[in-house]
Amino acid sequence: MPENPVSQSVNPVIQSVWTRPRRPKREQPTLSRDVIVAEAVKLLDEEGAAALSMRRLGTRLNAGATSMYSHVASKDELIELVVDHIYGEMEVPGPDAARDWRTAAARCANGIRSTILRHPWIAPMLGEVGVSLGPNSMRLTEGMLAMLEEAGFDLEQADHVVRILFAYVMGMTTSEAAWLTMLARSGQSQEDWTRKVWPAVEQATRDYPHLRRRYTAQEGGRSNEVLVDNFGYGLDWVLDGLQARLDRG
Amino acid sequence: MPENPVSQSVNPVIQSVWTRPRRPKREQPTLSRDVIVAEAVKLLDEEGAAALSMRRLGTRLNAGATSMYSHVASKDELIELVVDHIYGEMEVPGPDAARDWRTAAARCANGIRSTILRHPWIAPMLGEVGVSLGPNSMRLTEGMLAMLEEAGFDLEQADHVVRILFAYVMGMTTSEAAWLTMLARSGQSQEDWTRKVWPAVEQATRDYPHLRRRYTAQEGGRSNEVLVDNFGYGLDWVLDGLQARLDRG
DNA sequence: GCGGGGTTGCGAACAGTGTACGCACATCGT
DNA sequence: ACGATGTGCGTACACTGTTCGCAACCCCGC
């Protein structure tokens, strides 16, 4: 029988138009921006930035490779949405936080830091996306600006402060996130990894005594508390400067 | 005459073994790590990060697509080399800078900033590469550490300071670089671009009065001086905190 | 009822990617 | 003179993002 040349795709032997399984009924639009973005975040959390491809995302959603393009214009746009989704996880300073703006700012900074460390793949994306008009990112800066103005800064000062604060947090957290992702990619523990590259470090620091002393001092990698302390120090310095500026008028 | 089909792959008709042009004589090894990295930097400067592909790089070097793999293990490794090459453009504080560590640190920070802004594509790469053992990156941190210890900080403090300072500089400069690259990609001037997206901004800031006031206040984008001032403020704050810590012991 | 827009899903196809493999050749140490 | 070594490169493979056109479904006006 049937060399039926109707073959319309993978399997050249097609039984008949009548026996061919109909496409599964569409109960309701299964795809939407929200579920796409949510699944992308899940994929990124589980497998990292390199694993995000439209095809993989599609199969995870039981969808075809190109089915997302009705809801999202391009992969870059998807990434912008993902970034704003993560902004949405960050805590916004409430309106009454101006009473103690200093702890409110520190709290917000720490919140941003831990959000990024929960999704370390976001750090390079933040560098590529830059300033965005996403609603969540705007909510965050709006909250910050409002709090600072309430606390006595004028518009320009508050603008500077927000920029400086965010820059510090992003810079500090980006390097922590890079360390985390490299560790995750190697699949080893901190101790294993440092033990493994130790000879290379020793050889590379041959001509750099201070660096060598630094590495030997903190052998086995920085512990989490050390990192938090380090983050807190710099944050305090920035907030000190901020306070001085506020007192000065 | 000279339809000399130099290629034997594209054109299946091969005249003869004898008439086939011999491969051009190799005068001397034309490829090396250095020329590859240098050309990669040039390509990145001219066309941005998205344009860097092994094939394009190869053709720019009059080489085949895969000829670089004798000198460079992978594209990721090439990027690490490129990053360290850029580190090499940054000014390292000299040994006598400890006399006035504050201006030395500020000078170094400004140097890092302007180097990054000269190569804005590097910002996301710094986020992906993280800490590296490249010689130039080590020279820089070694110089910083040495200067700070000379100035009176102990090892641990100097470590903190370097990390905090770099974090601030990277964070601040990354957002500036992102703005620059987006501008370059759109091919428009600051004014054109802001004018063009203004309605979108106006609509997006409907519910965010502080943000809207901020945008309207600095309409037409931040000028260069404003950016430098902004960078300098935060830097001063960080250095103030640093100074206080030094005075306290 | 019953068309017909408009939207959503998707298979195929296209141009372009990083890179593994193996062959041709040049160079060099013996 | 001859193998060992290392460099250049054509080919090939598995993927990538994205376009296009077609099929199926929804809803809305008749």
Side-chain angles (χ1 to χ4, degrees):
Chain A
M1 51 153 217
E3 255 131 356
N4 189 341
V6 189
S7 117
Q8 73 219 53
S9 66
V10 179
N11 190 343
V13 183
I14 179 137
Q15 313 91 324
S16 150
V17 192
W18 312 111
T19 67
R20 176 184 47 180
R22 310 200 43 139
R23 187 160 325 171
K25 209 182 136 207
R26 179 155 33 171
E27 50 270 16
Q28 69 222 22
T30 67
L31 248 42
S32 75
R33 265 196 187 186
D34 291 336
V35 312
I36 291 174
V37 170
E39 191 67 36
V41 169
K42 240 173 66 183
L43 170 55
L44 286 163
D45 282 337
E46 290 170 15
E47 312 192 43
L52 176 63
S53 85
M54 300 304 269
R55 283 188 236 276
R56 285 176 64 94
L57 187 54
T59 57
R60 280 175 72 114
L61 289 161
N62 290 110
T66 63
S67 302
M68 278 94 64
Y69 282 87
S70 328
H71 307 266
V72 157
S74 68
K75 193 188 181 185
D76 285 343
E77 190 183 296
L78 170 63
I79 287 181
E80 285 187 52
L81 293 171
V82 164
V83 167
D84 198 69
H85 181 100
I86 301 296
Y87 270 114
E89 288 187 16
M90 300 175 186
E91 190 182 343
V92 180
D96 59 337
R99 193 177 312 264
D100 181 4
W101 63 266
R102 190 165 170 140
T103 64
R107 181 187 172 88
C108 181
N110 277 287
I112 296 175
R113 170 174 179 270
S114 54
T115 301
I116 295 181
L117 294 186
R118 241 187 351 262
H119 312 282
W121 42 265
I122 200 93
M125 290 181 184
L126 291 172
E128 299 194 49
V129 169
V131 66
S132 100
L133 296 180
N136 288 320
S137 118
M138 297 188 88
R139 264 229 332 264
L140 183 59
T141 37
E142 170 75 11
M144 267 300 223
L145 282 176
M147 186 201 73
L148 290 170
E149 289 200 52
E150 188 85 12
F153 294 91
D154 68 16
L155 176 63
E156 194 187 341
Q157 285 176 330
D159 182 32
H160 278 179
V161 168
V162 169
R163 245 194 266 288
I164 290 167
L165 213 55
F166 279 18
Y168 173 71
V169 175
M170 296 299 180
M172 206 63 167
T173 315
T174 293
S175 82
E176 290 188 57
W179 170 252
L180 282 188
T181 52
M182 110 84 61
L183 225 56
R185 209 169 16 180
S186 83
Q188 292 170 322
S189 75
Q190 275 199 30
E191 295 82 14
D192 288 350
W193 194 86
T194 14
R195 209 180 352 260
K196 198 165 171 189
V197 296
W198 185 248
V201 171
E202 204 155 32
Q203 210 252 321
T205 56
R206 189 163 302 270
D207 304 331
Y208 305 110
H210 299 83
L211 266 181
R212 166 174 296 221
R213 279 197 290 131
R214 177 173 98 162
Y215 277 122
T216 51
Q218 64 195 17
E219 63 167 321
R222 274 94 36 215
S223 77
N224 195 17
E225 300 136 23
V226 172
L227 289 176
V228 172
D229 284 357
N230 195 14
F231 182 79
Y233 282 147
L235 188 60
D236 270 347
W237 295 353
V238 172
L239 293 178
D240 283 344
L242 207 156
Q243 175 120 46
R245 179 147 295 246
L246 179 63
D247 294 343
R248 218 179 311 143
Chain B
M1 11 149 228
E3 256 132 357
N4 190 343
V6 187
S7 86
Q8 74 216 57
S9 54
V10 179
N11 191 341
V13 182
I14 180 155
Q15 313 93 319
S16 150
V17 191
W18 313 111
T19 65
R20 175 185 49 180
R22 309 202 42 135
R23 177 145 348 155
K25 207 177 139 218
R26 177 157 30 168
E27 49 271 17
Q28 69 220 23
T30 66
L31 247 43
S32 74
R33 264 196 189 188
D34 291 335
V35 312
I36 292 174
V37 170
E39 190 68 35
V41 169
K42 239 173 67 183
L43 171 54
L44 286 163
D45 281 338
E46 291 170 14
E47 311 192 45
L52 175 63
S53 86
M54 299 304 269
R55 288 193 231 288
R56 283 175 66 94
L57 188 54
T59 57
R60 281 175 73 113
L61 290 162
N62 288 110
T66 64
S67 302
M68 278 93 65
Y69 282 87
S70 328
H71 307 266
V72 156
S74 69
K75 191 187 182 187
D76 285 344
E77 191 183 294
L78 170 63
I79 287 181
E80 285 187 51
L81 293 171
V82 164
V83 167
D84 198 67
H85 182 99
I86 301 296
Y87 269 115
E89 288 186 17
M90 300 175 186
E91 191 182 344
V92 180
D96 59 336
R99 195 176 310 265
D100 182 2
W101 62 266
R102 190 166 170 137
T103 64
R107 180 187 172 88
C108 180
N110 278 287
I112 296 176
R113 171 174 179 270
S114 55
T115 301
I116 295 181
L117 293 186
R118 236 181 2 257
H119 311 282
W121 42 265
I122 200 88
M125 290 181 184
L126 290 171
E128 299 195 47
V129 168
V131 67
S132 99
L133 296 180
N136 288 321
S137 119
M138 296 188 90
R139 263 226 336 262
L140 183 60
T141 37
E142 170 75 12
M144 266 300 221
L145 283 176
M147 187 203 74
L148 290 169
E149 288 200 51
E150 189 85 12
F153 294 89
D154 68 15
L155 176 63
E156 194 187 340
Q157 284 176 329
D159 182 32
H160 278 177
V161 168
V162 169
R163 244 194 267 287
I164 290 166
L165 212 55
F166 279 18
Y168 173 71
V169 174
M170 297 298 180
M172 207 64 167
T173 314
T174 294
S175 83
E176 289 188 57
W179 170 252
L180 283 188
T181 52
M182 110 83 61
L183 226 56
R185 212 172 11 183
S186 85
Q188 293 170 321
S189 76
Q190 276 198 31
E191 293 81 15
D192 287 351
W193 193 86
T194 16
R195 210 183 347 263
K196 198 164 170 189
V197 295
W198 186 249
V201 171
E202 203 155 32
Q203 210 252 321
T205 56
R206 189 162 303 270
D207 304 331
Y208 305 110
H210 298 83
L211 265 182
R212 165 174 297 218
R213 278 196 291 132
R214 177 172 97 161
Y215 278 120
T216 51
Q218 63 195 17
E219 64 167 321
R222 274 90 43 210
S223 79
N224 195 18
E225 301 136 21
V226 172
L227 289 176
V228 172
D229 283 357
N230 196 12
F231 182 78
Y233 282 147
L235 189 59
D236 270 347
W237 296 352
V238 171
L239 294 178
D240 284 343
L242 206 157
Q243 175 119 46
R245 179 148 295 247
L246 179 64
D247 294 342
R248 217 179 312 143

